[in-house]
CSV table of all heavy atoms in Angstrom, one decimal:
chain,number,residue,atom,x,y,z
A,11,PHE,N,16.7,-0.2,-30.7
A,11,PHE,CA,16.3,0.1,-29.3
A,11,PHE,C,14.9,0.8,-29.1
A,11,PHE,O,14.3,0.7,-28.1
A,11,PHE,CB,17.3,1.0,-28.5
A,11,PHE,CG,18.7,0.3,-28.3
A,11,PHE,CD1,19.9,1.0,-28.6
A,11,PHE,CD2,18.8,-1.0,-27.9
A,11,PHE,CE1,21.1,0.4,-28.4
A,11,PHE,CE2,20.0,-1.6,-27.7
A,11,PHE,CZ,21.1,-1.0,-28.0
A,12,SER,N,14.5,1.4,-30.3
A,12,SER,CA,13.2,2.1,-30.1
A,12,SER,C,12.0,1.2,-30.1
A,12,SER,O,11.0,1.5,-29.4
A,12,SER,CB,13.0,3.1,-31.3
A,12,SER,OG,12.8,2.3,-32.4
A,13,GLY,N,12.2,0.0,-30.6
A,13,GLY,CA,11.1,-1.0,-30.5
A,13,GLY,C,9.9,-0.6,-31.5
A,13,GLY,O,8.8,-1.2,-31.4
A,39,HIS,N,20.9,-9.5,-32.0
A,39,HIS,CA,20.7,-10.9,-31.5
A,39,HIS,C,20.2,-10.8,-30.1
A,39,HIS,O,19.2,-11.5,-29.7
A,39,HIS,CB,22.1,-11.6,-31.6
A,39,HIS,CG,22.1,-12.8,-30.7
A,39,HIS,ND1,21.5,-14.0,-31.0
A,39,HIS,CD2,22.8,-13.0,-29.4
A,39,HIS,CE1,21.8,-14.8,-30.0
A,39,HIS,NE2,22.5,-14.3,-29.1
A,40,ALA,N,20.8,-9.9,-29.2
A,40,ALA,CA,20.3,-9.8,-27.8
A,40,ALA,C,18.9,-9.3,-27.8
A,40,ALA,O,18.1,-9.8,-27.0
A,40,ALA,CB,21.2,-8.8,-27.1
A,43,GLN,N,16.6,-12.2,-28.7
A,43,GLN,CA,16.5,-13.2,-27.6
A,43,GLN,C,15.6,-12.7,-26.4
A,43,GLN,O,14.8,-13.3,-25.9
A,43,GLN,CB,17.9,-13.5,-27.1
A,43,GLN,CG,18.9,-14.2,-28.0
A,43,GLN,CD,18.3,-15.7,-28.2
A,43,GLN,OE1,18.0,-16.4,-27.3
A,43,GLN,NE2,18.2,-16.0,-29.5
A,44,LEU,N,15.8,-11.3,-26.1
A,44,LEU,CA,15.1,-10.7,-25.0
A,44,LEU,C,13.6,-10.7,-25.4
A,44,LEU,O,12.8,-11.0,-24.5
A,44,LEU,CB,15.6,-9.3,-24.7
A,44,LEU,CG,16.9,-9.2,-23.9
A,44,LEU,CD1,17.4,-7.8,-24.0
A,44,LEU,CD2,16.7,-9.7,-22.5
A,45,ASP,N,13.3,-10.3,-26.6
A,45,ASP,CA,11.8,-10.2,-27.0
A,45,ASP,C,11.2,-11.5,-26.9
A,45,ASP,O,10.1,-11.7,-26.3
A,45,ASP,CB,11.8,-9.7,-28.4
A,45,ASP,CG,11.9,-8.1,-28.5
A,45,ASP,OD1,11.8,-7.5,-27.4
A,45,ASP,OD2,12.1,-7.6,-29.6
A,47,ALA,N,12.2,-14.1,-25.0
A,47,ALA,CA,12.1,-14.5,-23.7
A,47,ALA,C,11.0,-13.8,-22.9
A,47,ALA,O,10.2,-14.4,-22.1
A,47,ALA,CB,13.5,-14.2,-22.9
A,48,PHE,N,10.9,-12.5,-23.1
A,48,PHE,CA,9.8,-11.7,-22.5
A,48,PHE,C,8.4,-12.2,-22.8
A,48,PHE,O,7.6,-12.4,-22.0
A,48,PHE,CB,9.9,-10.2,-22.9
A,48,PHE,CG,10.9,-9.5,-22.1
A,48,PHE,CD1,11.8,-8.5,-22.6
A,48,PHE,CD2,11.1,-9.7,-20.7
A,48,PHE,CE1,12.7,-7.8,-21.9
A,48,PHE,CE2,12.1,-9.1,-20.0
A,48,PHE,CZ,12.9,-8.1,-20.6
A,50,SER,N,7.5,-15.1,-24.1
A,50,SER,CA,7.2,-16.5,-23.7
A,50,SER,C,7.1,-16.7,-22.2
A,50,SER,O,6.8,-17.7,-21.8
A,50,SER,CB,8.2,-17.4,-24.4
A,50,SER,OG,9.5,-17.2,-23.8
A,51,SER,N,7.6,-15.6,-21.5
A,51,SER,CA,7.6,-15.7,-20.0
A,51,SER,C,6.2,-15.8,-19.5
A,51,SER,O,5.3,-15.0,-19.9
A,51,SER,CB,8.4,-14.6,-19.5
A,51,SER,OG,8.2,-14.4,-18.1
A,52,THR,N,6.0,-16.7,-18.5
A,52,THR,CA,4.6,-16.8,-17.9
A,52,THR,C,4.5,-15.9,-16.7
A,52,THR,O,5.4,-15.7,-15.9
A,52,THR,CB,4.3,-18.2,-17.4
A,52,THR,OG1,5.4,-18.6,-16.7
A,52,THR,CG2,4.0,-19.1,-18.6
A,54,PRO,N,3.6,-14.8,-13.1
A,54,PRO,CA,3.3,-15.5,-11.8
A,54,PRO,C,2.0,-15.2,-11.2
A,54,PRO,O,1.5,-14.1,-11.4
A,54,PRO,CB,4.5,-15.0,-10.9
A,54,PRO,CG,4.9,-13.7,-11.4
A,54,PRO,CD,4.6,-13.7,-12.9
A,55,SER,N,1.4,-16.1,-10.5
A,55,SER,CA,0.1,-16.0,-9.9
A,55,SER,C,0.2,-15.9,-8.4
A,55,SER,O,1.1,-16.6,-7.8
A,55,SER,CB,-0.8,-17.1,-10.2
A,55,SER,OG,-1.0,-17.1,-11.6
A,56,PRO,N,-0.7,-15.2,-7.7
A,56,PRO,CA,-0.7,-15.2,-6.3
A,56,PRO,C,-1.1,-16.6,-5.7
A,56,PRO,O,-1.8,-17.3,-6.4
A,56,PRO,CB,-1.6,-14.1,-5.8
A,56,PRO,CG,-2.6,-13.9,-7.0
A,56,PRO,CD,-1.8,-14.3,-8.2
A,60,PHE,N,-6.2,-15.2,-2.2
A,60,PHE,CA,-5.8,-13.8,-2.2
A,60,PHE,C,-6.9,-12.9,-1.7
A,60,PHE,O,-6.7,-12.0,-0.9
A,60,PHE,CB,-5.3,-13.5,-3.5
A,60,PHE,CG,-4.7,-12.1,-3.6
A,60,PHE,CD1,-3.4,-11.9,-3.4
A,60,PHE,CD2,-5.5,-11.0,-4.0
A,60,PHE,CE1,-2.8,-10.6,-3.5
A,60,PHE,CE2,-5.0,-9.7,-4.0
A,60,PHE,CZ,-3.6,-9.5,-3.8
A,61,THR,N,-8.1,-13.1,-2.2
A,61,THR,CA,-9.2,-12.2,-1.9
A,61,THR,C,-9.6,-12.3,-0.4
A,61,THR,O,-9.9,-11.3,0.2
A,61,THR,CB,-10.5,-12.6,-2.7
A,61,THR,OG1,-10.0,-12.7,-4.1
A,61,THR,CG2,-11.5,-11.5,-2.7
A,63,ARG,N,-7.6,-13.1,2.0
A,63,ARG,CA,-6.5,-12.4,2.8
A,63,ARG,C,-6.7,-10.9,2.7
A,63,ARG,O,-6.5,-10.1,3.6
A,63,ARG,CB,-5.1,-12.8,2.2
A,63,ARG,CG,-4.8,-14.3,2.6
A,63,ARG,CD,-3.3,-14.5,2.4
A,63,ARG,NE,-2.9,-14.4,1.0
A,63,ARG,CZ,-3.0,-15.3,0.1
A,63,ARG,NH1,-3.6,-16.5,0.4
A,63,ARG,NH2,-2.6,-15.1,-1.1
A,64,PHE,N,-7.2,-10.4,1.5
A,64,PHE,CA,-7.4,-9.0,1.3
A,64,PHE,C,-8.5,-8.5,2.2
A,64,PHE,O,-8.3,-7.5,2.9
A,64,PHE,CB,-7.8,-8.7,-0.2
A,64,PHE,CG,-8.3,-7.3,-0.3
A,64,PHE,CD1,-7.5,-6.2,-0.3
A,64,PHE,CD2,-9.7,-7.1,-0.5
A,64,PHE,CE1,-8.0,-4.9,-0.4
A,64,PHE,CE2,-10.2,-5.9,-0.6
A,64,PHE,CZ,-9.4,-4.8,-0.6
A,65,GLN,N,-9.6,-9.3,2.3
A,65,GLN,CA,-10.7,-8.9,3.1
A,65,GLN,C,-10.3,-8.8,4.6
A,65,GLN,O,-10.7,-7.9,5.3
A,65,GLN,CB,-11.9,-9.9,3.1
A,65,GLN,CG,-12.5,-10.0,1.6
A,65,GLN,CD,-13.3,-8.8,1.2
A,65,GLN,OE1,-13.4,-7.8,1.8
A,65,GLN,NE2,-14.0,-8.9,0.1
A,67,ARG,N,-7.3,-8.2,5.6
A,67,ARG,CA,-6.4,-7.1,5.8
A,67,ARG,C,-7.1,-5.8,5.8
A,67,ARG,O,-6.8,-4.8,6.5
A,67,ARG,CB,-5.4,-7.1,4.6
A,67,ARG,CG,-4.2,-6.2,4.8
A,67,ARG,CD,-3.2,-6.5,3.8
A,67,ARG,NE,-2.1,-5.5,3.8
A,67,ARG,CZ,-0.9,-5.7,3.5
A,67,ARG,NH1,-0.5,-6.9,3.2
A,67,ARG,NH2,0.0,-4.8,3.4
A,71,HIS,N,-7.2,-3.0,8.7
A,71,HIS,CA,-6.9,-1.6,8.3
A,71,HIS,C,-7.9,-0.7,8.9
A,71,HIS,O,-7.6,0.4,9.4
A,71,HIS,CB,-6.8,-1.5,6.8
A,71,HIS,CG,-6.5,-0.2,6.3
A,71,HIS,ND1,-5.3,0.3,6.3
A,71,HIS,CD2,-7.4,0.8,5.9
A,71,HIS,CE1,-5.3,1.6,5.9
A,71,HIS,NE2,-6.6,1.9,5.6
A,72,ARG,N,-9.2,-1.1,8.7
A,72,ARG,CA,-10.4,-0.3,9.2
A,72,ARG,C,-10.3,-0.1,10.7
A,72,ARG,O,-10.4,1.0,11.2
A,72,ARG,CB,-11.7,-1.0,8.9
A,72,ARG,CG,-12.2,-0.6,7.6
A,72,ARG,CD,-13.7,-0.7,7.5
A,72,ARG,NE,-14.1,-0.6,6.2
A,72,ARG,CZ,-14.6,-1.5,5.4
A,72,ARG,NH1,-14.8,-2.8,5.9
A,72,ARG,NH2,-14.9,-1.3,4.2
B,17,ASP,N,-18.0,-4.1,0.5
B,17,ASP,CA,-16.8,-4.8,0.5
B,17,ASP,C,-16.8,-6.0,-0.5
B,17,ASP,O,-15.9,-6.4,-1.1
B,17,ASP,CB,-16.4,-5.3,1.9
B,17,ASP,CG,-16.0,-4.2,2.8
B,17,ASP,OD1,-16.1,-3.0,2.3
B,17,ASP,OD2,-15.7,-4.5,4.0
B,20,PHE,N,-16.3,-5.0,-4.0
B,20,PHE,CA,-14.9,-4.9,-4.2
B,20,PHE,C,-14.1,-6.1,-4.3
B,20,PHE,O,-13.1,-6.3,-5.0
B,20,PHE,CB,-14.3,-3.9,-3.1
B,20,PHE,CG,-13.0,-3.3,-3.5
B,20,PHE,CD1,-12.9,-2.3,-4.5
B,20,PHE,CD2,-11.7,-3.8,-3.0
B,20,PHE,CE1,-11.6,-1.8,-4.8
B,20,PHE,CE2,-10.5,-3.4,-3.4
B,20,PHE,CZ,-10.5,-2.3,-4.3
B,25,GLU,N,-10.8,-10.2,-7.1
B,25,GLU,CA,-10.7,-11.5,-7.7
B,25,GLU,C,-10.3,-11.4,-9.2
B,25,GLU,O,-9.5,-12.1,-9.7
B,25,GLU,CB,-12.1,-12.1,-7.6
B,25,GLU,CG,-12.2,-13.6,-7.8
B,25,GLU,CD,-11.5,-14.4,-6.7
B,25,GLU,OE1,-11.8,-14.1,-5.5
B,25,GLU,OE2,-10.7,-15.3,-7.0
B,28,GLN,N,-6.5,-9.6,-9.4
B,28,GLN,CA,-5.3,-10.1,-8.5
B,28,GLN,C,-4.2,-10.5,-9.3
B,28,GLN,O,-3.0,-10.2,-9.0
B,28,GLN,CB,-5.8,-11.1,-7.6
B,28,GLN,CG,-6.4,-12.3,-8.2
B,28,GLN,CD,-6.7,-13.4,-7.2
B,28,GLN,OE1,-5.8,-14.0,-6.7
B,28,GLN,NE2,-7.9,-13.7,-7.0
B,29,LYS,N,-4.4,-11.2,-10.4
B,29,LYS,CA,-3.2,-11.7,-11.2
B,29,LYS,C,-2.3,-10.7,-11.8
B,29,LYS,O,-1.2,-10.6,-11.6
B,29,LYS,CB,-3.8,-12.7,-12.2
B,29,LYS,CG,-2.7,-13.7,-12.6
B,29,LYS,CD,-3.1,-14.8,-13.5
B,29,LYS,CE,-1.9,-15.6,-14.0
B,29,LYS,NZ,-2.2,-16.6,-14.9
B,32,PHE,N,-0.6,-8.7,-9.0
B,32,PHE,CA,0.5,-9.5,-8.4
B,32,PHE,C,1.6,-9.7,-9.3
B,32,PHE,O,2.8,-9.6,-8.9
B,32,PHE,CB,-0.1,-10.9,-8.0
B,32,PHE,CG,0.9,-11.8,-7.3
B,32,PHE,CD1,1.2,-11.7,-6.0
B,32,PHE,CD2,1.7,-12.7,-8.1
B,32,PHE,CE1,2.1,-12.5,-5.4
B,32,PHE,CE2,2.6,-13.5,-7.5
B,32,PHE,CZ,2.8,-13.4,-6.1
B,36,TYR,N,5.4,-8.6,-8.6
B,36,TYR,CA,6.4,-9.6,-8.6
B,36,TYR,C,7.6,-9.2,-9.5
B,36,TYR,O,8.8,-9.3,-9.1
B,36,TYR,CB,5.8,-10.9,-9.0
B,36,TYR,CG,6.9,-12.0,-9.1
B,36,TYR,CD1,7.2,-12.7,-7.9
B,36,TYR,CD2,7.6,-12.4,-10.2
B,36,TYR,CE1,8.1,-13.7,-7.9
B,36,TYR,CE2,8.5,-13.3,-10.3
B,36,TYR,CZ,8.9,-14.1,-9.1
B,36,TYR,OH,9.8,-15.0,-9.1
B,37,ARG,N,7.3,-8.8,-10.7
B,37,ARG,CA,8.3,-8.2,-11.6
B,37,ARG,C,9.0,-7.1,-11.1
B,37,ARG,O,10.2,-6.9,-11.3
B,37,ARG,CB,7.7,-7.9,-13.0
B,37,ARG,CG,7.0,-9.1,-13.7
B,37,ARG,CD,8.0,-10.1,-14.2
B,37,ARG,NE,7.4,-11.2,-14.9
B,37,ARG,CZ,7.9,-12.3,-15.1
B,37,ARG,NH1,9.1,-12.6,-14.6
B,37,ARG,NH2,7.3,-13.3,-15.8
B,46,GLU,N,3.2,-10.1,-2.8
B,46,GLU,CA,1.9,-10.3,-2.1
B,46,GLU,C,1.5,-9.1,-1.3
B,46,GLU,O,0.5,-8.6,-1.4
B,46,GLU,CB,1.9,-11.6,-1.2
B,46,GLU,CG,0.8,-11.7,-0.2
B,46,GLU,CD,-0.4,-12.5,-0.7
B,46,GLU,OE1,-0.3,-13.2,-1.8
B,46,GLU,OE2,-1.4,-12.5,-0.1
B,47,ASP,N,2.5,-8.7,-0.5
B,47,ASP,CA,2.3,-7.5,0.4
B,47,ASP,C,1.9,-6.3,-0.4
B,47,ASP,O,1.0,-5.6,-0.1
B,47,ASP,CB,3.5,-7.3,1.2
B,47,ASP,CG,3.4,-6.2,2.2
B,47,ASP,OD1,2.5,-6.4,3.1
B,47,ASP,OD2,4.1,-5.2,2.2
B,50,GLN,N,-1.5,-6.6,-2.1
B,50,GLN,CA,-2.6,-6.4,-1.0
B,50,GLN,C,-2.7,-4.9,-0.7
B,50,GLN,O,-3.8,-4.3,-0.7
B,50,GLN,CB,-2.3,-7.1,0.2
B,50,GLN,CG,-2.3,-8.6,0.1
B,50,GLN,CD,-3.7,-9.2,0.3
B,50,GLN,OE1,-4.6,-8.5,0.7
B,50,GLN,NE2,-3.8,-10.5,0.1
B,51,GLU,N,-1.6,-4.3,-0.5
B,51,GLU,CA,-1.6,-2.8,-0.2
B,51,GLU,C,-2.1,-1.9,-1.3
B,51,GLU,O,-2.8,-1.0,-1.0
B,51,GLU,CB,-0.1,-2.4,0.2
B,51,GLU,CG,0.0,-1.1,0.9
B,51,GLU,CD,-0.9,-0.9,2.2
B,51,GLU,OE1,-1.0,-1.9,2.9
B,51,GLU,OE2,-1.4,0.1,2.4
B,53,PHE,N,-4.4,-2.8,-3.4
B,53,PHE,CA,-5.9,-3.0,-3.4
B,53,PHE,C,-6.5,-2.2,-2.3
B,53,PHE,O,-7.5,-1.6,-2.4
B,53,PHE,CB,-6.2,-4.5,-3.3
B,53,PHE,CG,-6.3,-5.2,-4.7
B,53,PHE,CD1,-5.3,-6.2,-4.9
B,53,PHE,CD2,-7.1,-4.8,-5.7
B,53,PHE,CE1,-5.3,-6.8,-6.1
B,53,PHE,CE2,-7.1,-5.4,-6.9
B,53,PHE,CZ,-6.2,-6.5,-7.1
B,57,TYR,N,-9.1,0.8,-2.8
B,57,TYR,CA,-10.4,0.9,-2.1
B,57,TYR,C,-10.6,2.2,-1.4
B,57,TYR,O,-11.7,2.8,-1.4
B,57,TYR,CB,-10.4,-0.3,-1.1
B,57,TYR,CG,-11.8,-0.4,-0.4
B,57,TYR,CD1,-12.8,-1.1,-1.1
B,57,TYR,CD2,-12.0,0.0,0.9
B,57,TYR,CE1,-14.1,-1.2,-0.4
B,57,TYR,CE2,-13.2,-0.1,1.5
B,57,TYR,CZ,-14.3,-0.7,0.8
B,57,TYR,OH,-15.5,-0.8,1.4
B,58,ILE,N,-9.5,2.7,-0.7
B,58,ILE,CA,-9.7,4.0,0.1
B,58,ILE,C,-9.9,5.1,-0.9
B,58,ILE,O,-10.6,6.0,-0.6
B,58,ILE,CB,-8.4,4.1,0.9
B,58,ILE,CG1,-8.3,3.1,2.0
B,58,ILE,CG2,-8.4,5.6,1.5
B,58,ILE,CD1,-6.9,3.0,2.7
B,121,GLU,N,13.5,-17.8,-16.8
B,121,GLU,CA,12.7,-16.8,-15.9
B,121,GLU,C,13.6,-16.1,-15.0
B,121,GLU,O,13.5,-14.9,-14.8
B,121,GLU,CB,11.6,-17.6,-15.1
B,121,GLU,CG,10.4,-18.0,-15.8
B,121,GLU,CD,9.5,-16.9,-16.3
B,121,GLU,OE1,9.5,-15.8,-15.5
B,121,GLU,OE2,8.9,-16.9,-17.3
B,124,ILE,N,15.6,-13.5,-16.8
B,124,ILE,CA,14.8,-12.3,-17.2
B,124,ILE,C,14.7,-11.4,-15.9
B,124,ILE,O,14.9,-10.2,-16.0
B,124,ILE,CB,13.4,-12.7,-17.7
B,124,ILE,CG1,13.6,-13.4,-19.0
B,124,ILE,CG2,12.5,-11.5,-17.8
B,124,ILE,CD1,12.3,-14.1,-19.5
B,127,LEU,N,17.8,-9.6,-15.1
B,127,LEU,CA,18.0,-8.4,-16.0
B,127,LEU,C,17.1,-7.3,-15.6
B,127,LEU,O,17.6,-6.1,-15.6
B,127,LEU,CB,17.8,-8.9,-17.4
B,127,LEU,CG,18.8,-9.8,-18.0
B,127,LEU,CD1,18.4,-10.2,-19.4
B,127,LEU,CD2,20.2,-9.2,-18.1
B,143,TYR,N,5.9,-5.0,-21.9
B,143,TYR,CA,6.1,-6.4,-22.3
B,143,TYR,C,5.0,-7.4,-21.7
B,143,TYR,O,4.5,-8.2,-22.4
B,143,TYR,CB,7.5,-6.9,-21.9
B,143,TYR,CG,8.6,-6.4,-22.9
B,143,TYR,CD1,9.4,-5.4,-22.5
B,143,TYR,CD2,8.7,-7.0,-24.1
B,143,TYR,CE1,10.4,-4.9,-23.4
B,143,TYR,CE2,9.7,-6.6,-25.0
B,143,TYR,CZ,10.5,-5.5,-24.6
B,143,TYR,OH,11.5,-5.1,-25.5
B,144,TRP,N,4.8,-7.2,-20.4
B,144,TRP,CA,3.9,-8.2,-19.9
B,144,TRP,C,2.4,-7.8,-19.8
B,144,TRP,O,1.5,-8.6,-19.6
B,144,TRP,CB,4.3,-8.6,-18.4
B,144,TRP,CG,5.5,-9.5,-18.5
B,144,TRP,CD1,5.4,-10.9,-18.9
B,144,TRP,CD2,6.8,-9.3,-18.2
B,144,TRP,NE1,6.7,-11.4,-18.8
B,144,TRP,CE2,7.5,-10.5,-18.4
B,144,TRP,CE3,7.5,-8.1,-17.7
B,144,TRP,CZ2,8.9,-10.5,-18.2
B,144,TRP,CZ3,8.8,-8.3,-17.5
B,144,TRP,CH2,9.6,-9.5,-17.7
B,168,TYR,N,13.6,3.2,-24.5
B,168,TYR,CA,14.8,3.2,-25.3
B,168,TYR,C,16.0,2.9,-24.4
B,168,TYR,O,16.8,1.9,-24.6
B,168,TYR,CB,15.0,4.5,-26.0
B,168,TYR,CG,16.2,4.6,-26.9
B,168,TYR,CD1,16.0,4.3,-28.3
B,168,TYR,CD2,17.5,4.8,-26.5
B,168,TYR,CE1,17.0,4.4,-29.2
B,168,TYR,CE2,18.5,4.9,-27.4
B,168,TYR,CZ,18.3,4.7,-28.8
B,168,TYR,OH,19.4,4.7,-29.6
B,171,ARG,N,15.9,-0.7,-22.9
B,171,ARG,CA,16.2,-1.7,-23.9
B,171,ARG,C,17.7,-1.8,-24.1
B,171,ARG,O,18.2,-2.8,-24.2
B,171,ARG,CB,15.5,-1.5,-25.2
B,171,ARG,CG,14.0,-1.8,-25.2
B,171,ARG,CD,13.5,-1.9,-26.6
B,171,ARG,NE,12.0,-2.0,-26.5
B,171,ARG,CZ,11.2,-1.0,-26.8
B,171,ARG,NH1,11.7,0.1,-27.1
B,171,ARG,NH2,9.9,-1.2,-26.7
B,178,TYR,N,22.4,-8.4,-21.2
B,178,TYR,CA,22.3,-9.7,-21.8
B,178,TYR,C,23.5,-10.2,-22.4
B,178,TYR,O,24.0,-11.3,-22.3
B,178,TYR,CB,21.1,-9.8,-22.8
B,178,TYR,CG,20.9,-11.0,-23.4
B,178,TYR,CD1,20.2,-12.0,-22.8
B,178,TYR,CD2,21.5,-11.3,-24.7
B,178,TYR,CE1,19.9,-13.3,-23.4
B,178,TYR,CE2,21.3,-12.6,-25.3
B,178,TYR,CZ,20.6,-13.6,-24.6
B,178,TYR,OH,20.4,-14.8,-25.2
B,182,GLU,N,26.0,-13.3,-21.5
B,182,GLU,CA,26.3,-14.3,-22.5
B,182,GLU,C,27.7,-14.5,-22.7
B,182,GLU,O,28.2,-15.6,-22.7
B,182,GLU,CB,25.7,-13.9,-23.9
B,182,GLU,CG,25.4,-15.1,-24.8
B,182,GLU,CD,24.6,-14.6,-26.1
B,182,GLU,OE1,25.1,-13.7,-26.8
B,182,GLU,OE2,23.6,-15.2,-26.3
Side-chain angles (χ1 to χ4, degrees):
Chain A
F11 295 133
S12 69
H39 161 73
Q43 291 292 313
L44 282 170
D45 281 346
F48 280 141
S50 63
S51 165
T52 47
S55 299
F60 183 89
T61 311
R63 291 195 295 281
F64 167 75
Q65 297 287 11
R67 194 166 170 150
H71 176 83
R72 269 206 191 114
Chain B
D17 291 359
F20 195 76
E25 200 68 49
Q28 57 174 291
K29 201 173 171 186
F32 179 85
Y36 180 84
R37 297 291 182 201
E46 164 91 14
D47 185 60
Q50 294 272 355
E51 194 54 40
F53 278 114
Y57 186 78
I58 293 167
E121 282 293 329
I124 293 169
L127 291 176
Y143 283 100
W144 281 290
Y168 184 97
R171 281 195 192 104
Y178 179 83
E182 206 173 52

